[in-house]
Amino acid sequence: MSAQLVPTILCGGAGSRLWPVSRESHPKPFIRLEDGESLLQKAFKRGAHLPGVAQVLTVTNRDLFFKTSDEYREVNKEGLSASFILEPFGRNTAVAVASAALHVSATLGDDALLLVLPADHLVSNQPAFAAAVKEAVTLAQAGALVTFGITPTFPETAYGYIEADGTKVRRFVEKPNAETAQTYLDSGNFLWNAGMFCFSAGTVIAEMTKHCPDVLDATRKCLDAARRAAGADGAQIELDGDTLGLAPDISIDYALMERSTNVAVVQCDIGWSDIGSWNAMGELAHPDERGNRVEGEALLHDVSNCYVRSESRLVGAVGVEDLLIVDTADALLVANRHRAQDVRHVYAALKASGHEAYKVHRSVHRPWGVYTVLEEGSRFKIKRIEVKPGASLSLQLHHHRSEHWIVVSGMALVVNGENEFYVRTNESTYIPAGHKHRLTNPGVVDLVMIEVQSGEYLGEDDIVRFDDNYGRS
C-alpha cells in the first residue's frame, strides 16, 4: 500500500436505545464492555493496529474531546498520533466525512486513504477485518468509494441493506419489514450495511462536488474559519459554529453513497454488530442454562431469557421472563426484550421534559477529572471530586452557593479570594458565595475530596468563569 491510510473515527450520537447507561454527555461509544474497554477504545485499536497507519483522526463533539483523549490514552500504548476535528454541535455524518476528507487532503494529499469507522460498533474478528480493509484499499486506490457489507445471518429489520453483484453495488435499501428482510436473506444478494467506508481524499471530494456540493462548500467554509482562528493547528481543529449551522444536516449515505455510481462493496464476515439495543449488548454476555445473561451482581429465582446489567447494586428477580433490567446509580430500566428498540422513547420523553437523566449520570466527567453527586436535597448537595495530577478547575465564583471542601487523599492548591494556600489530607476549607476561587492538584497522584454545597440555588449553571485552561466560556 503506497498511500497513507488514516482511520477516521466518527464519535457522535446519543445512543438513546441504550439508556440509562448512554446519556448525552456519556454517549454509546463510551459504554464499557465486560473486558473493561469501551466501544470507542475498541474502534481506536481496530484502526490503529492495521499495517501502515501513522495517525488516527477523530471527528467528535467539542464537549467530548477531553473524555475521548483520556480514552485513547489508556489504550494507545504505541503513542500513535491522534488528531481531532471538533464540532460545536452534531451535524450528521456527511459534514463529518467532508471535514475529514478536506483535512486529510490538505495535510497528507489527495491520495491519502480514509477508513471511516463508527465509534460505537463492535468488530470481534480483527484478522478478518484487516483482510477486508486490504481489499477495500485496493478498490479505493483504483478510484472507488468503498463500503463494507456484512454477510447477513438472519432477517434483521433494524439494519439497512446493500444489494450487491460481486463488488458492484446495485442499490442501497432502507430498513425492511420482516417479510422483505427474509426475501433479502433468501436471495443471497443482499448484505447488511455496516456504515464503514474507505476512499481516497481526492475521490470523495470529487464525488461530493458532483452529488452534494452544498455539503462540501459549507464544510470547507467551516474549516477555513477554524484555521483562521487563534490556536488552530493540524492536530486539533474546532469547526466554526456559525458556518457549521449553515451546513445541511444529512447522512453520508443519503448525501453521497446512494447517489454515486462509483461505489464498490467489500463483502465480509468480521463479527460485526452495531450494538443497537440492549438485546445486542446482552448477546455479548454468556447465557446460563435458562437463557439469562447477567453483567454485575444478580440473584435470579425462576427467571428465564432475561438480561440483567447492574453497575453497583445487587439485583434480585423472581418469576419473570423476557425482560431487560438495566440498573445505574440514578435510573432503572425495565423493558420487554421484544420491545428493546422502544427504549429510545423513554430517552426522548426525558429530553423533552428537560429531566437531567437524559443528559448526565451521577458521575460527570470534566477535562480536569470527574465528580459524583453522592446526595442532594433542599439547599444542599454533596459531591465526591477527583482531580487529575497537574489539572486545575477554572478560576470561578458562584452567586448563590457556598462550598466546603474536605481533602480525602492527595493535596489541593486553593485560591480563595486574595489568598492562595495548600489543603492537605484530612484538612478542609470554606469558600463563601461570591468569592473567586480555584482548585488545583499540584501533586502526582489523584486529588480526592468531598464538596458540600449549600445555598438557595445549586444548579451547575451558577458559575462565572474568569480563567479556564480548557477553553470553556
Side-chain angles (χ1 to χ4, degrees), residues 108-245:
L108 298 175
D110 283 346
D111 291 337
L113 301 172
L114 285 78
L115 176 64
V116 178
L117 304 173
D120 57 358
H121 291 185
L122 185 65
V123 171
S124 60
N125 191 334
Q126 181 72 18
F129 172 71
V133 171
K134 184 177 180 180
E135 182 180 349
V137 163
T138 300
L139 293 168
Q141 287 181 319
L145 301 173
V146 185
T147 186
F148 292 77
I150 307 300
T151 305
T153 54
F154 57 93
E156 176 60 70
T157 60
Y159 298 157
Y161 283 73
I162 301 168
E163 185 178 11
D165 181 8
T167 60
K168 180 177 176 57
V169 172
R170 290 181 176 175
R171 60 179 174 132
F172 292 86
V173 292
E174 295 300 311
K175 299 173 182 178
N177 58 32
E179 182 179 357
T180 303
Q182 186 63 57
T183 63
Y184 289 168
L185 184 66
D186 294 339
S187 75
N189 297 325
F190 286 82
L191 307 169
W192 289 335
N193 186 353
M196 301 186 300
F197 310 100
C198 185
F199 30 63
S200 73
T203 295
V204 71
I205 290 171
E207 288 291 303
M208 294 187 87
T209 301
K210 291 181 187 176
H211 300 288
C212 51
D214 51 346
V215 172
L216 190 67
D217 290 344
T219 306
R220 185 178 279 112
K221 290 178 182 177
C222 288
L223 280 173
D224 289 345
R227 292 191 177 104
R228 288 193 300 268
D233 58 37
Q236 181 183 328
I237 293 179
E238 183 172 351
L239 298 182
D240 176 71
D242 292 336
T243 49
L244 183 63

Side-chain angles (χ1 to χ4, degrees), residues 29-111:
F30 298 96
I31 292 179
R32 300 265 170 161
L33 304 184
E34 277 195 302
D35 63 3
E37 289 185 348
S38 68
L39 291 168
L40 174 63
Q41 288 175 324
K42 291 183 180 297
F44 179 89
K45 291 171 63 176
R46 187 179 313 137
H49 290 173
L50 293 169
V53 171
Q55 66 169 293
V56 174
L57 172 64
T58 303
V59 184
T60 190
N61 188 280
R62 169 69 174 82
D63 292 339
L64 298 177
F65 168 64
F66 293 100
K67 187 175 179 63
T68 302
S69 298
D70 288 344
E71 293 270 311
Y72 287 172
R73 197 173 296 114
E74 290 182 16
V75 296
N76 187 13
K77 306 303 182 184
E78 297 80 14
L80 195 69
S81 174
S83 54
F84 294 86
I85 295 175
L86 306 176
E87 300 174 327
F89 48 83
R91 209 59 180 173
N92 220 315
T93 54
V95 167
V97 170
S99 63
L102 290 167
H103 176 66
V104 169
S105 173
T107 55
L108 298 175
D110 283 346
D111 291 337

Side-chain angles (χ1 to χ4, degrees), residues 421-442:
F421 51 90
Y422 290 100
V423 182
R424 295 170 174 81
T425 301
N426 293 329
E427 296 179 346
S428 64
T429 191
Y430 170 68
I431 311 293
H435 269 219
K436 282 186 182 181
H437 59 277
R438 187 168 215 159
L439 176 65
T440 299
N441 179 1

